[in-house]
Amino acid sequence: MALLSDLINLNLSDTTEKIIAEYVWIGGTGMDLRSKARTLSGPVSDPAKLPKWNYDGSSTLQAPGEDSEVILYPQAIFKDPFRRGNNILVMCDAYTPAGEPIPTNKRYNAAKIFSDPAVASEEPWYGIEQEYTLLQKEVKWPLGWPIGGFPGPQGPYYCGIGADKAFGRDIVDSHYKACLYAGINISGINGEVMPGQWEFQVGPAVGISAGDEVWMARYILERITEIAGVVVSFDPKPIDVRFLFSSVATSSLRDFS
């Protein structure tokens, strides 16, 4: 009897040329990521050769219920670190059926700027830092924090090591390797000043690819934390203590502000 893990790790290339393409896009909040998968007849390396696809924008806060169809335009391809083989992750942006970018499609205007010959000739390079916090799923409280309480003062956690200083390193390292596998130019990671808080860096990346790589790196991180049963927050201040704790308790967080 096959185990679930055996089926998840099936190597499709042993039996078929077909691949799975996971289409990824930014949802209606401007920070949430959505994705769905489709079967393709064979490997694809050029996003221009991928088919467009559609989704229900009324379920992502991107279209009204009476006119909910939104079209996905493939823009960038990455190797899929979850399914592996020839399977791919596809970064997309979103348009109306008439071909107009929907209001939450910020990539459209950015691509116009970066494709301008005057801009492209400058070959703009970007290096982007992304901080995030890993939260315990049931209570939305950072890893390494006592439930309902606070950690010790800032000092030992930044780039720290040890079970009492670094929390979630298995997730962080998994993300690091998965991004490298995917073809994202992730250039480093480090623990941040607060327990449960980490950072990764993407770059140098040229032009619009910097944005595509950061968004796909976020997607991969969300998928990994989903597997690990942990919640990731990209909020710079994920814990709001203003209405939950007294001023005395709050004062212990000053070093993390």
Side-chain angles (χ1 to χ4, degrees):
M1 177 68 69
L3 299 175
L4 183 60
S5 59
D6 296 329
L7 298 173
I8 291 173
N9 293 315
L10 277 176
N11 185 352
L12 297 179
S13 61
D14 290 341
T15 58
T16 180
E17 292 184 359
K18 293 180 179 179
I19 69 161
I20 300 172
E22 189 81 24
Y23 281 41
V24 180
W25 71 96
I26 301 167
T29 68
M31 278 302 297
D32 62 311
L33 284 158
R34 310 290 180 120
S35 74
K36 62 177 187 172
R38 67 181 299 165
T39 304
L40 301 177
S41 59
V44 181
S45 58
D46 181 356
K49 295 181 179 179
L50 287 169
K52 296 173 185 176
W53 205 7
N54 65 334
Y55 68 93
D56 173 14
S58 68
S59 297
T60 63
L61 305 177
Q62 292 174 298
E66 66 274 11
D67 185 18
S68 64
E69 186 177 35
V70 179
I71 311 299
L72 292 170
Y73 287 30
Q75 300 293 353
I77 292 176
F78 301 88
K79 293 175 64 178
D80 187 339
F82 304 102
R83 297 187 176 104
R84 288 168 290 196
N86 291 321
N87 303 298
I88 55 177
L89 303 175
V90 183
M91 195 69 223
C92 305
D93 57 357
Y95 296 78
T96 68
E100 296 296 322
I102 65 173
T104 55
N105 181 355
K106 308 303 182 185
R107 190 188 188 282
Y108 175 78
N109 284 329
K112 285 203 303 183
I113 293 170
F114 284 116
S115 62
D116 183 285
V119 176
S121 66
E122 295 292 332
E123 196 175 350
W125 283 23
Y126 294 92
I128 301 175
E129 295 182 351
Q130 174 67 72
E131 293 185 1
Y132 61 94
T133 304
L134 299 173
L135 307 174
Q136 302 167 64
K137 184 174 71 171
E138 303 302 330
V139 292
K140 302 296 192 297
W141 206 243
L143 295 188
W145 290 37
I147 301 299
F150 303 105
Q154 177 182 338
Y157 309 109
Y158 175 71
C159 298
I161 61 170
D164 58 343
K165 304 177 190 71
F167 305 93
R169 190 184 295 276
D170 54 344
I171 294 171
V172 175
D173 279 349
S174 296
H175 175 248
Y176 196 176
K177 291 182 178 180
C179 284
L180 288 171
Y181 178 94
I184 293 168
N185 193 25
I186 184 170
S187 51
I189 59 168
N190 61 268
E192 267 298 338
V193 298
M194 185 179 80
Q197 185 184 42
W198 296 82
E199 176 187 297
F200 65 87
Q201 301 92 35
V202 170
V206 179
I208 195 71
S209 66
D212 290 336
E213 292 187 27
V214 168
W215 276 108
M216 191 56 73
R218 289 173 177 170
Y219 173 81
I220 291 172
L221 181 57
E222 293 240 35
R223 286 283 304 277
I224 291 172
T225 55
E226 173 189 320
I227 294 168
V230 172
V231 174
V232 61
S233 172
F234 297 110
D235 191 323
K237 304 292 182 185
I239 304 300
D240 187 350
V241 299
R242 290 174 297 174
F243 307 111
L244 298 178
F245 302 100
S246 69
S247 59
V248 174
T250 303
S251 66
S252 68
L253 287 180
R254 287 176 183 165
D255 287 334
F256 302 106
S257 299

